[in-house]
Amino acid sequence: MATIKLIQRLDKINTKEQAPVYAQYSHYSKTCLIATGIKVESKYWKDGKVYRHEDSNLQSKFNKKLLSISNKIIGIASDFEEREEIPFPEAVKKEYEDKQREKLPEADLQRSISFLWRDYLN
């Protein structure tokens, strides 16, 4: 069964004291981390959500975005199951990232270091 857990990587804190939030996708004891693109100060992070943020609109926006990302990942896993394929974490991550790449404008896509790095590795 596929599960999603939102975690904050405290080992990657930037100069603004913000740490990135990742979606940890698990299926049959295999896991992978999927970047959400959201960074939050650790004092505002608890139990997979942004809480007690000074700006309640920003808090709501972050939580809605994280829920949306989680739902997209679970949706991709469900698509695999409908095709009678096993939703292995790396395959789900790849499909999610490919879909996110399609949504970026070409200029942003070319500047994205992660995509350049992936192309270099391939």
Side-chain angles (χ1 to χ4, degrees), residues 87-114:
F88 289 113
E90 291 304 319
V92 171
K93 179 180 180 177
K94 183 181 182 322
E95 188 166 327
Y96 173 78
E97 289 176 347
D98 288 347
K99 285 184 178 184
Q100 291 304 106
R101 183 186 307 183
E102 291 171 3
K103 292 180 183 179
L104 290 174
E106 189 62 32
D108 289 343
L109 181 63
Q110 290 174 351
R111 284 185 264 146
S112 176
I113 293 173
S114 64

Short mmCIF file of all heavy atoms in Angstrom, two decimals, residues 87-114:
data_model
loop_
_atom_site.label_atom_id
_atom_site.label_comp_id
_atom_site.label_asym_id
_atom_site.label_seq_id
_atom_site.Cartn_x
_atom_site.Cartn_y
_atom_site.Cartn_z
N PRO A 87 3.37 0.32 -8.24
CA PRO A 87 3.83 1.71 -8.14
C PRO A 87 5.11 1.84 -7.30
O PRO A 87 5.11 2.33 -6.18
CB PRO A 87 2.66 2.44 -7.49
CG PRO A 87 2.00 1.39 -6.66
CD PRO A 87 2.19 0.09 -7.41
N PHE A 88 6.22 1.36 -7.87
CA PHE A 88 7.50 1.47 -7.17
C PHE A 88 7.85 2.94 -6.97
O PHE A 88 7.57 3.78 -7.83
CB PHE A 88 8.61 0.77 -7.95
CG PHE A 88 8.50 -0.73 -7.95
CD1 PHE A 88 8.23 -1.42 -9.11
CD2 PHE A 88 8.66 -1.44 -6.77
CE1 PHE A 88 8.12 -2.80 -9.11
CE2 PHE A 88 8.57 -2.82 -6.75
CZ PHE A 88 8.29 -3.50 -7.92
N PRO A 89 8.45 3.28 -5.83
CA PRO A 89 8.75 4.68 -5.52
C PRO A 89 9.51 5.44 -6.61
O PRO A 89 9.14 6.56 -6.94
CB PRO A 89 9.55 4.59 -4.23
CG PRO A 89 9.03 3.36 -3.57
CD PRO A 89 8.78 2.41 -4.70
N GLU A 90 10.54 4.84 -7.17
CA GLU A 90 11.32 5.56 -8.18
C GLU A 90 10.51 5.83 -9.44
O GLU A 90 10.66 6.88 -10.06
CB GLU A 90 12.61 4.80 -8.51
CG GLU A 90 13.61 4.80 -7.37
CD GLU A 90 13.99 6.19 -6.88
OE1 GLU A 90 14.18 7.11 -7.71
OE2 GLU A 90 14.09 6.36 -5.66
N ALA A 91 9.65 4.91 -9.83
CA ALA A 91 8.80 5.11 -11.01
C ALA A 91 7.77 6.20 -10.76
O ALA A 91 7.52 7.05 -11.63
CB ALA A 91 8.11 3.80 -11.39
N VAL A 92 7.19 6.22 -9.57
CA VAL A 92 6.21 7.26 -9.22
C VAL A 92 6.90 8.62 -9.18
O VAL A 92 6.38 9.61 -9.70
CB VAL A 92 5.52 6.93 -7.88
CG1 VAL A 92 4.68 8.09 -7.40
CG2 VAL A 92 4.66 5.68 -8.03
N LYS A 93 8.08 8.66 -8.57
CA LYS A 93 8.85 9.92 -8.50
C LYS A 93 9.17 10.44 -9.90
O LYS A 93 8.99 11.62 -10.18
CB LYS A 93 10.13 9.70 -7.72
CG LYS A 93 11.00 10.93 -7.62
CD LYS A 93 12.26 10.65 -6.82
CE LYS A 93 13.13 11.90 -6.72
NZ LYS A 93 14.32 11.65 -5.89
N LYS A 94 9.61 9.56 -10.78
CA LYS A 94 9.96 9.97 -12.14
C LYS A 94 8.74 10.53 -12.86
O LYS A 94 8.82 11.58 -13.51
CB LYS A 94 10.55 8.80 -12.91
CG LYS A 94 10.99 9.17 -14.32
CD LYS A 94 11.53 7.97 -15.05
CE LYS A 94 12.03 8.28 -16.45
NZ LYS A 94 11.29 9.24 -17.21
N GLU A 95 7.61 9.84 -12.76
CA GLU A 95 6.40 10.32 -13.44
C GLU A 95 5.94 11.66 -12.87
O GLU A 95 5.54 12.55 -13.60
CB GLU A 95 5.29 9.28 -13.35
CG GLU A 95 4.10 9.65 -14.22
CD GLU A 95 3.14 8.50 -14.43
OE1 GLU A 95 3.59 7.34 -14.49
OE2 GLU A 95 1.94 8.80 -14.55
N TYR A 96 6.01 11.81 -11.54
CA TYR A 96 5.63 13.08 -10.91
C TYR A 96 6.53 14.21 -11.41
O TYR A 96 6.06 15.27 -11.79
CB TYR A 96 5.70 12.97 -9.39
CG TYR A 96 5.49 14.29 -8.70
CD1 TYR A 96 4.21 14.82 -8.55
CD2 TYR A 96 6.55 15.04 -8.22
CE1 TYR A 96 4.00 16.04 -7.94
CE2 TYR A 96 6.36 16.26 -7.61
CZ TYR A 96 5.09 16.76 -7.47
OH TYR A 96 4.90 17.98 -6.88
N GLU A 97 7.84 13.97 -11.40
CA GLU A 97 8.77 15.00 -11.84
C GLU A 97 8.61 15.33 -13.32
O GLU A 97 8.72 16.48 -13.72
CB GLU A 97 10.21 14.59 -11.53
CG GLU A 97 10.49 14.64 -10.04
CD GLU A 97 11.88 14.14 -9.67
OE1 GLU A 97 12.57 13.51 -10.52
OE2 GLU A 97 12.27 14.37 -8.50
N ASP A 98 8.31 14.32 -14.14
CA ASP A 98 8.07 14.57 -15.56
C ASP A 98 6.84 15.44 -15.76
O ASP A 98 6.85 16.35 -16.59
CB ASP A 98 7.92 13.26 -16.33
CG ASP A 98 9.23 12.51 -16.47
OD1 ASP A 98 10.30 13.09 -16.22
OD2 ASP A 98 9.18 11.31 -16.82
N LYS A 99 5.79 15.17 -14.98
CA LYS A 99 4.58 15.99 -15.09
C LYS A 99 4.84 17.42 -14.62
O LYS A 99 4.33 18.37 -15.20
CB LYS A 99 3.43 15.37 -14.29
CG LYS A 99 2.84 14.16 -14.96
CD LYS A 99 1.65 13.63 -14.20
CE LYS A 99 1.05 12.44 -14.93
NZ LYS A 99 -0.17 11.95 -14.29
N GLN A 100 5.63 17.57 -13.57
CA GLN A 100 5.95 18.91 -13.08
C GLN A 100 6.81 19.64 -14.10
O GLN A 100 6.68 20.84 -14.27
CB GLN A 100 6.68 18.83 -11.74
CG GLN A 100 5.81 18.34 -10.60
CD GLN A 100 4.56 19.18 -10.44
OE1 GLN A 100 3.46 18.77 -10.78
NE2 GLN A 100 4.71 20.37 -9.94
N ARG A 101 7.69 18.93 -14.77
CA ARG A 101 8.56 19.55 -15.77
C ARG A 101 7.73 20.09 -16.93
O ARG A 101 8.02 21.16 -17.45
CB ARG A 101 9.56 18.52 -16.30
CG ARG A 101 10.55 19.11 -17.29
CD ARG A 101 11.44 18.10 -17.91
NE ARG A 101 12.12 17.29 -16.93
CZ ARG A 101 13.01 16.37 -17.22
NH1 ARG A 101 13.33 16.15 -18.47
NH2 ARG A 101 13.59 15.65 -16.29
N GLU A 102 6.68 19.37 -17.32
CA GLU A 102 5.82 19.80 -18.42
C GLU A 102 5.13 21.12 -18.10
O GLU A 102 4.84 21.89 -19.00
CB GLU A 102 4.76 18.73 -18.70
CG GLU A 102 5.32 17.46 -19.31
CD GLU A 102 4.28 16.36 -19.38
OE1 GLU A 102 3.12 16.59 -19.01
OE2 GLU A 102 4.65 15.26 -19.81
N LYS A 103 4.87 21.39 -16.83
CA LYS A 103 4.14 22.59 -16.45
C LYS A 103 5.04 23.84 -16.41
O LYS A 103 4.55 24.95 -16.44
CB LYS A 103 3.51 22.41 -15.07
CG LYS A 103 2.40 21.39 -15.06
CD LYS A 103 1.81 21.25 -13.70
CE LYS A 103 0.75 20.18 -13.67
NZ LYS A 103 0.19 20.00 -12.34
N LEU A 104 6.37 23.65 -16.33
CA LEU A 104 7.28 24.79 -16.25
C LEU A 104 7.43 25.45 -17.61
O LEU A 104 7.51 24.77 -18.63
CB LEU A 104 8.67 24.34 -15.78
CG LEU A 104 8.80 23.89 -14.34
CD1 LEU A 104 10.20 23.33 -14.10
CD2 LEU A 104 8.53 25.03 -13.39
N PRO A 105 7.52 26.79 -17.63
CA PRO A 105 7.83 27.46 -18.89
C PRO A 105 9.23 27.05 -19.35
O PRO A 105 10.08 26.71 -18.54
CB PRO A 105 7.80 28.95 -18.53
CG PRO A 105 7.13 29.03 -17.21
CD PRO A 105 7.26 27.70 -16.55
N GLU A 106 9.47 27.10 -20.63
CA GLU A 106 10.76 26.65 -21.19
C GLU A 106 11.95 27.38 -20.57
O GLU A 106 12.97 26.78 -20.29
CB GLU A 106 10.76 26.83 -22.71
CG GLU A 106 11.95 26.20 -23.40
CD GLU A 106 12.03 24.69 -23.22
OE1 GLU A 106 10.99 24.04 -23.11
OE2 GLU A 106 13.15 24.16 -23.17
N ALA A 107 11.82 28.68 -20.31
CA ALA A 107 12.92 29.45 -19.72
C ALA A 107 13.27 28.93 -18.33
O ALA A 107 14.44 28.77 -18.00
CB ALA A 107 12.56 30.93 -19.65
N ASP A 108 12.27 28.64 -17.51
CA ASP A 108 12.52 28.12 -16.17
C ASP A 108 13.08 26.71 -16.24
O ASP A 108 13.93 26.33 -15.45
CB ASP A 108 11.23 28.11 -15.34
CG ASP A 108 10.79 29.50 -14.94
OD1 ASP A 108 11.62 30.42 -15.03
OD2 ASP A 108 9.62 29.65 -14.56
N LEU A 109 12.60 25.95 -17.20
CA LEU A 109 13.06 24.58 -17.34
C LEU A 109 14.55 24.55 -17.67
O LEU A 109 15.30 23.75 -17.12
CB LEU A 109 12.27 23.88 -18.45
CG LEU A 109 12.59 22.43 -18.73
CD1 LEU A 109 12.29 21.59 -17.49
CD2 LEU A 109 11.80 21.94 -19.91
N GLN A 110 15.00 25.44 -18.52
CA GLN A 110 16.40 25.46 -18.91
C GLN A 110 17.29 25.87 -17.75
O GLN A 110 18.44 25.46 -17.66
CB GLN A 110 16.62 26.40 -20.09
CG GLN A 110 16.00 25.85 -21.37
CD GLN A 110 16.08 26.84 -22.51
OE1 GLN A 110 16.44 27.99 -22.32
NE2 GLN A 110 15.74 26.39 -23.70
N ARG A 111 16.78 26.70 -16.85
CA ARG A 111 17.59 27.19 -15.74
C ARG A 111 17.59 26.25 -14.54
O ARG A 111 18.36 26.43 -13.61
CB ARG A 111 17.08 28.56 -15.28
CG ARG A 111 17.50 29.66 -16.23
CD ARG A 111 17.10 30.99 -15.69
NE ARG A 111 15.82 31.31 -16.33
CZ ARG A 111 14.84 31.96 -15.77
NH1 ARG A 111 14.94 32.39 -14.54
NH2 ARG A 111 13.73 32.20 -16.40
N SER A 112 16.74 25.28 -14.53
CA SER A 112 16.63 24.41 -13.38
C SER A 112 17.83 23.48 -13.26
O SER A 112 18.11 22.66 -14.12
CB SER A 112 15.35 23.58 -13.47
OG SER A 112 15.30 22.67 -12.42
N ILE A 113 18.54 23.62 -12.17
CA ILE A 113 19.75 22.84 -11.95
C ILE A 113 19.45 21.36 -11.84
O ILE A 113 20.19 20.52 -12.36
CB ILE A 113 20.49 23.34 -10.69
CG1 ILE A 113 21.01 24.74 -10.94
CG2 ILE A 113 21.62 22.41 -10.31
CD1 ILE A 113 21.61 25.40 -9.74
N SER A 114 18.35 21.02 -11.19
CA SER A 114 18.04 19.60 -11.01
C SER A 114 17.83 18.91 -12.36
O SER A 114 18.25 17.76 -12.54
CB SER A 114 16.82 19.41 -10.12
OG SER A 114 15.67 19.93 -10.72
#
